[in-house]
Each structure stands twice: as structure tokens, then as C-alpha cells.
Amino acid sequence: MSYFYRLKLMKEAVLVKLPFTSLPLLLQTLSRKSRDMEIKNYSSITSGFILLGLSSNPQLQKPLFAIFFIMYLLTAVGNVLIILAIYSDPRLHTPMYFFLSNLSFMDICFTTVIVPKMLVNFLSETKVISYVGCLVQMYFFMAFGNTDSYLLASMAIDRLVAICNPLHYDVVMKPWHCLLMLMGSCSISHLHSLFRVLLMSRLSFCASHVIKHFFCDTQPVLKLSCSDTSSSQMVVMTETLAVIVTPFLCIIFSYLQIIVTVLRIPSAAGKWKAFSTCGSHLTVVALFYGSVIYVYFRPLSMYSVVRDRVATVMYTVVTPMLNPFIYSLRNKDMKKGLKKLRDRIYR
């Protein structure tokens, strides 16, 4: 008996034993397994992601575009005016205003990473962002955002030295030291962002590529991964605590020292004068860190799409827009600097 003949008999025997009704079930099972394997091997590199944005309601897209376009213009113009006023007025060439000008520049970069793409998506039907584009946006978002937090910490240190140790202010806060603090802020922030993006690039993304957010943030992207994200979440939480909490604790420590020193001042006028130099900075710190802590210092299981979108809008769009108003309206030196800049422009 030949090999092919025996093979034919075996095939017929299997078909006889197999009930006719089970054939569709077998084919369906094989098809499902094949499809599951294809999904698991599917790469998000070729397809990218879809950003749902703030709302899926078509009637709200144009009003939202107008609102965020105006907010972006106010952010850019306001922060540029702060930078020009500081650099055009020699009286503002001090460490505090050096950090403020760099904070304004970072705020422009921070919002530019997110808002222009969001504005395009408001008027687009596809709302697609490529895989590489998503990682690049995530990188610069974290880099500029973390630099903001370190600059706020540097400004707190400046106020600490100015109020608690005024005689040594010129020695401690000399230009070289301020430049080192700025370079350190940028370096730590970019290394942190690089580490996080490399960690995210190792994840696999399966069936869904719809990000329920208006930009590529860490938590919404982690939600889409079909990989085991428990270790990634642990690393992200630990590393985020180290990078973000460090400047926050620095700010808390600085202001505790300032409060102790100010309470020792005998006159009420002296106390008010000391505290008045910190009011603008404290307002910005409260706005920035309040929303950041709410969004990022929770486990992934507690992630809420709607509430986190609102909180994220606060520190990505609203706070950078309000910073120029907060620092100019409550600061006599900035008012004089802006008035001098206006006179120079219209001369």
C-alpha cells in the first residue's frame, strides 16, 4: 500500500468520524485563533493612534477650536511680552526675573507641543497621530513640563535666599549659579522624558488604537497596551515620584523656612512686604501642582477620562495662559517693565 493511498484513507476516516455539524465550529475556532495571533502581532508603528480629543460632538468642534485658539494666542503673546519686558529693562536683570523669563519660554514650548495638534484635530475628521509622532509629543510634553516644575523650585530657592539670607544673596544667586540651576533643570527633565519614552516604546498595542485624550499622555496610552503594564506602572510611579516630587518638596521646604523667618519680623508692614514678593509664585505653584498631582499620582485603575481631561487642560493650557497675568498684575516691577516696553514700541 502506497504512502499517498494510506494518507487518503486516514483523511477519509477522520472526515467520517467528525460530525458534519462540528465542521463550522472547527473552522470558526481556527479562524478566531488565527485572528487573535494577527492581533497580538499587530504593530502600532504602521497604524498610529487616533486622538478622540475633548469632545466627540461634531457641533462643539468649531467653538472649541475658537476657544483654544484664543487661549493659545494669549499664552504666546503674554509670555513673549514677559520675556521682552525682562530683557529690555536693566532693572529686571535679577535672578528671579531670569528664572521667570525662562519659565515663560518653557510655557510657550509646553503649550506648542500640545495645542496646535489639538486645533488641527478639531477641524479634522481623522484625528490621527503617527506612532513616532505620539512618542515625540510625549517626550517634549514631559521634558518641558518637568522643566517648568524645576524652574518653579529654583524661583522658590531664590525667594528663600532673598528673605532668609539677604546679605549673602549676591553670592549665592550669582549668574553662574543661576545658569547651572537652569542647565540642571533641563538636563534632568530631558533624561526623565527619554527614559519614559523608551519604556513606552517597548509596549505592544493590540486591538484598540483610540486614545481617549487630546494628546499622547502616559496614562491613556498605557490603557491601550496589551502588554503586562504592572512593571511599567511601578517604574513610572517610582521614577515620577523621584523627578516630580523632588522640586515640589524643595518648594515646600523653602516656604516653610520663609514663613518661619517672616513671622519673626516685628512689624506688620515688614511681614506684608516679604510675603508680597512670594504671592505670584505661590499662585502659579498651586495651579500647576494641584492639577499635576491629581492626574499623575494615582494608580491606572483610578484613571477617569473626563475628570483627567479637565485637570490636564488646567496645567497644559490654562496655567501657562494665566502666568503672564499673575506675574504682571501683582508685581510693580513687571508693570513698570511692561509700560517701558510699550513706550519703546510706540515711540
Side-chain angles (χ1 to χ4, degrees):
M1 189 181 294
S2 68
Y3 171 79
F4 290 104
Y5 183 71
R6 290 199 306 271
L7 190 63
K8 183 180 178 182
L9 290 177
M10 290 172 62
K11 184 179 179 181
E12 289 175 353
V14 170
L15 289 174
V16 168
K17 291 179 182 178
L18 189 66
F20 178 78
T21 55
S22 67
L23 278 173
L25 181 63
L26 177 64
L27 292 173
Q28 187 179 358
T29 303
L30 292 173
S31 176
R32 189 185 300 117
K33 287 184 177 180
S34 175
R35 187 167 61 250
D36 290 344
M37 290 179 67
E38 287 177 3
I39 288 173
K40 288 182 180 179
N41 293 326
Y42 185 81
S43 173
S44 58
I45 295 175
T46 57
S47 64
F49 298 100
I50 297 171
L51 295 168
L52 281 189
L54 290 173
S55 174
S56 57
N57 189 341
Q59 296 179 347
L60 292 177
Q61 301 306 304
K62 289 183 179 179
L64 285 172
F65 173 86
I67 292 168
F68 281 92
F69 180 69
I70 292 169
M71 292 173 75
Y72 181 63
L73 281 181
L74 288 173
T75 301
V77 172
N79 282 290
V80 166
L81 286 175
I82 292 288
I83 294 168
L84 292 175
I86 290 170
Y87 281 94
S88 63
D89 190 348
R91 293 175 301 176
L92 300 179
H93 293 177
T94 62
M96 184 176 77
Y97 294 108
F98 168 77
F99 290 123
L100 177 57
S101 63
N102 282 283
L103 181 69
S104 295
F105 176 72
M106 290 299 164
D107 281 342
I108 295 170
C109 297
F110 188 47
T111 53
T112 302
V113 169
I114 298 167
V115 178
K117 179 62 179 174
M118 182 169 61
L119 293 175
V120 170
N121 286 346
F122 281 138
L123 303 180
S124 173
E125 293 183 2
T126 56
K127 306 181 189 299
V128 173
I129 185 169
S130 67
Y131 177 79
V132 174
C134 185
L135 291 181
V136 168
Q137 187 184 56
M138 191 182 295
Y139 173 86
F140 284 107
F141 160 73
M142 288 187 289
F144 293 133
N146 289 332
T147 304
D148 261 9
S149 65
Y150 276 95
L151 286 174
L152 289 171
S154 300
M155 294 170 78
I157 292 170
D158 172 80
R159 292 298 84 205
L160 171 67
V161 178
I163 294 171
C164 300
N165 202 359
L167 297 177
H168 294 89
Y169 181 79
D170 291 334
V171 176
V172 176
M173 300 302 295
K174 58 186 178 182
W176 176 242
H177 290 170
C178 294
L179 185 61
L180 281 176
M181 290 169 75
L182 174 63
M183 292 171 63
S185 300
C186 294
S187 300
I188 293 170
S189 301
H190 280 270
L191 286 173
H192 163 76
S193 300
L194 181 62
F195 175 76
R196 289 280 289 275
V197 168
L198 288 175
L199 194 66
M200 296 296 291
S201 67
R202 295 171 63 87
L203 299 176
S204 299
F205 299 94
C206 300
S208 177
H209 285 242
V210 179
I211 299 175
K212 297 178 180 179
H213 216 320
F214 57 91
F215 73 102
C216 288
D217 200 3
T218 309
Q219 298 283 47
V221 175
L222 273 175
K223 276 277 190 181
L224 300 182
S225 177
C226 56
S227 306
D228 180 15
T229 60
S230 56
S231 58
S232 298
Q233 288 182 56
M234 184 63 66
V235 172
V236 165
M237 286 290 288
T238 306
E239 199 251 350
T240 300
L241 282 170
V243 174
I244 296 179
V245 172
T246 300
F248 182 66
L249 290 177
C250 182
I251 293 169
I252 296 295
F253 172 78
S254 297
Y255 275 105
L256 287 174
Q257 290 286 99
I258 288 170
I259 290 168
V260 171
T261 302
V262 169
L263 290 176
R264 292 174 182 169
I265 299 173
S267 66
K271 290 177 181 178
W272 173 251
K273 185 178 180 181
F275 270 129
S276 64
T277 62
C278 306
S280 301
H281 181 254
L282 274 173
T283 305
V284 173
V285 167
L287 284 171
F288 181 81
Y289 273 101
S291 49
V292 166
I293 289 170
Y294 176 80
V295 172
Y296 293 105
F297 291 93
R298 292 178 301 155
L300 196 61
S301 57
M302 294 178 65
Y303 175 75
S304 169
V305 175
V306 177
R307 286 179 297 180
D308 283 29
R309 281 179 191 167
V310 175
T312 307
V313 166
M314 280 298 297
Y315 76 87
T316 57
V317 183
V318 177
T319 302
M321 181 189 69
L322 293 179
N323 282 357
F325 297 100
I326 293 169
Y327 280 105
S328 59
L329 294 176
R330 301 190 63 179
N331 190 308
K332 291 181 180 179
D333 292 333
M334 275 305 309
K335 285 181 181 178
K336 291 177 182 177
L338 288 168
K339 186 178 179 181
K340 188 175 180 180
L341 177 65
R342 184 196 64 188
D343 294 340
R344 185 174 295 182
I345 291 171
Y346 290 104
R347 185 178 299 172

PDB file of all heavy atoms in Angstrom, residues 175-185:
ATOM      1  N   PRO A 175      25.110  84.947  38.741  1.00  0.00           N
ATOM      2  CA  PRO A 175      24.670  84.454  37.413  1.00  0.00           C
ATOM      3  C   PRO A 175      25.113  83.032  37.077  1.00  0.00           C
ATOM      4  O   PRO A 175      24.334  82.264  36.493  1.00  0.00           O
ATOM      5  CB  PRO A 175      25.293  85.470  36.459  1.00  0.00           C
ATOM      6  CG  PRO A 175      25.397  86.724  37.262  1.00  0.00           C
ATOM      7  CD  PRO A 175      25.688  86.290  38.661  1.00  0.00           C
ATOM      8  N   TRP A 176      26.351  82.671  37.431  1.00  0.00           N
ATOM      9  CA  TRP A 176      26.848  81.342  37.117  1.00  0.00           C
ATOM     10  C   TRP A 176      26.037  80.256  37.820  1.00  0.00           C
ATOM     11  O   TRP A 176      25.723  79.216  37.236  1.00  0.00           O
ATOM     12  CB  TRP A 176      28.323  81.242  37.475  1.00  0.00           C
ATOM     13  CG  TRP A 176      28.928  79.883  37.277  1.00  0.00           C
ATOM     14  CD1 TRP A 176      29.463  79.085  38.219  1.00  0.00           C
ATOM     15  CD2 TRP A 176      29.035  79.159  36.034  1.00  0.00           C
ATOM     16  NE1 TRP A 176      29.920  77.906  37.662  1.00  0.00           N
ATOM     17  CE2 TRP A 176      29.660  77.925  36.322  1.00  0.00           C
ATOM     18  CE3 TRP A 176      28.663  79.437  34.718  1.00  0.00           C
ATOM     19  CZ2 TRP A 176      29.932  76.978  35.344  1.00  0.00           C
ATOM     20  CZ3 TRP A 176      28.926  78.481  33.740  1.00  0.00           C
ATOM     21  CH2 TRP A 176      29.550  77.275  34.050  1.00  0.00           C
ATOM     22  N   HIS A 177      25.672  80.519  39.087  1.00  0.00           N
ATOM     23  CA  HIS A 177      24.866  79.551  39.831  1.00  0.00           C
ATOM     24  C   HIS A 177      23.467  79.423  39.231  1.00  0.00           C
ATOM     25  O   HIS A 177      22.911  78.324  39.157  1.00  0.00           O
ATOM     26  CB  HIS A 177      24.772  79.964  41.300  1.00  0.00           C
ATOM     27  CG  HIS A 177      26.058  79.807  42.040  1.00  0.00           C
ATOM     28  ND1 HIS A 177      26.268  80.302  43.318  1.00  0.00           N
ATOM     29  CD2 HIS A 177      27.228  79.210  41.685  1.00  0.00           C
ATOM     30  CE1 HIS A 177      27.490  80.010  43.719  1.00  0.00           C
ATOM     31  NE2 HIS A 177      28.095  79.349  42.753  1.00  0.00           N
ATOM     32  N   CYS A 178      22.907  80.562  38.820  1.00  0.00           N
ATOM     33  CA  CYS A 178      21.574  80.537  38.194  1.00  0.00           C
ATOM     34  C   CYS A 178      21.595  79.750  36.880  1.00  0.00           C
ATOM     35  O   CYS A 178      20.673  78.983  36.585  1.00  0.00           O
ATOM     36  CB  CYS A 178      21.087  81.963  37.937  1.00  0.00           C
ATOM     37  SG  CYS A 178      20.775  82.906  39.437  1.00  0.00           S
ATOM     38  N   LEU A 179      22.662  79.934  36.109  1.00  0.00           N
ATOM     39  CA  LEU A 179      22.793  79.205  34.845  1.00  0.00           C
ATOM     40  C   LEU A 179      22.927  77.705  35.087  1.00  0.00           C
ATOM     41  O   LEU A 179      22.341  76.888  34.367  1.00  0.00           O
ATOM     42  CB  LEU A 179      23.993  79.733  34.057  1.00  0.00           C
ATOM     43  CG  LEU A 179      24.200  79.163  32.651  1.00  0.00           C
ATOM     44  CD1 LEU A 179      23.013  79.466  31.751  1.00  0.00           C
ATOM     45  CD2 LEU A 179      25.485  79.715  32.024  1.00  0.00           C
ATOM     46  N   LEU A 180      23.694  77.331  36.120  1.00  0.00           N
ATOM     47  CA  LEU A 180      23.838  75.916  36.472  1.00  0.00           C
ATOM     48  C   LEU A 180      22.489  75.316  36.880  1.00  0.00           C
ATOM     49  O   LEU A 180      22.172  74.170  36.521  1.00  0.00           O
ATOM     50  CB  LEU A 180      24.848  75.757  37.613  1.00  0.00           C
ATOM     51  CG  LEU A 180      26.332  75.820  37.236  1.00  0.00           C
ATOM     52  CD1 LEU A 180      27.191  75.739  38.496  1.00  0.00           C
ATOM     53  CD2 LEU A 180      26.705  74.704  36.271  1.00  0.00           C
ATOM     54  N   MET A 181      21.690  76.074  37.625  1.00  0.00           N
ATOM     55  CA  MET A 181      20.364  75.594  38.034  1.00  0.00           C
ATOM     56  C   MET A 181      19.464  75.394  36.818  1.00  0.00           C
ATOM     57  O   MET A 181      18.717  74.410  36.744  1.00  0.00           O
ATOM     58  CB  MET A 181      19.739  76.582  39.016  1.00  0.00           C
ATOM     59  CG  MET A 181      20.421  76.603  40.372  1.00  0.00           C
ATOM     60  SD  MET A 181      19.891  77.990  41.412  1.00  0.00           S
ATOM     61  CE  MET A 181      18.276  77.430  41.915  1.00  0.00           C
ATOM     62  N   LEU A 182      19.557  76.319  35.857  1.00  0.00           N
ATOM     63  CA  LEU A 182      18.757  76.185  34.630  1.00  0.00           C
ATOM     64  C   LEU A 182      19.189  74.967  33.829  1.00  0.00           C
ATOM     65  O   LEU A 182      18.347  74.175  33.371  1.00  0.00           O
ATOM     66  CB  LEU A 182      18.901  77.451  33.789  1.00  0.00           C
ATOM     67  CG  LEU A 182      18.230  77.419  32.408  1.00  0.00           C
ATOM     68  CD1 LEU A 182      16.723  77.261  32.539  1.00  0.00           C
ATOM     69  CD2 LEU A 182      18.570  78.676  31.612  1.00  0.00           C
ATOM     70  N   MET A 183      20.507  74.788  33.662  1.00  0.00           N
ATOM     71  CA  MET A 183      21.024  73.646  32.902  1.00  0.00           C
ATOM     72  C   MET A 183      20.676  72.331  33.586  1.00  0.00           C
ATOM     73  O   MET A 183      20.331  71.348  32.934  1.00  0.00           O
ATOM     74  CB  MET A 183      22.530  73.785  32.719  1.00  0.00           C
ATOM     75  CG  MET A 183      22.948  74.926  31.806  1.00  0.00           C
ATOM     76  SD  MET A 183      24.730  75.232  31.815  1.00  0.00           S
ATOM     77  CE  MET A 183      25.344  73.682  31.158  1.00  0.00           C
ATOM     78  N   GLY A 184      20.752  72.314  34.921  1.00  0.00           N
ATOM     79  CA  GLY A 184      20.384  71.109  35.674  1.00  0.00           C
ATOM     80  C   GLY A 184      18.913  70.775  35.504  1.00  0.00           C
ATOM     81  O   GLY A 184      18.547  69.603  35.332  1.00  0.00           O
ATOM     82  N   SER A 185      18.052  71.802  35.523  1.00  0.00           N
ATOM     83  CA  SER A 185      16.609  71.600  35.343  1.00  0.00           C
ATOM     84  C   SER A 185      16.310  70.967  33.991  1.00  0.00           C
ATOM     85  O   SER A 185      15.532  70.010  33.893  1.00  0.00           O
ATOM     86  CB  SER A 185      15.879  72.943  35.461  1.00  0.00           C
ATOM     87  OG  SER A 185      16.096  73.528  36.715  1.00  0.00           O
TER      88      SER A 185
END
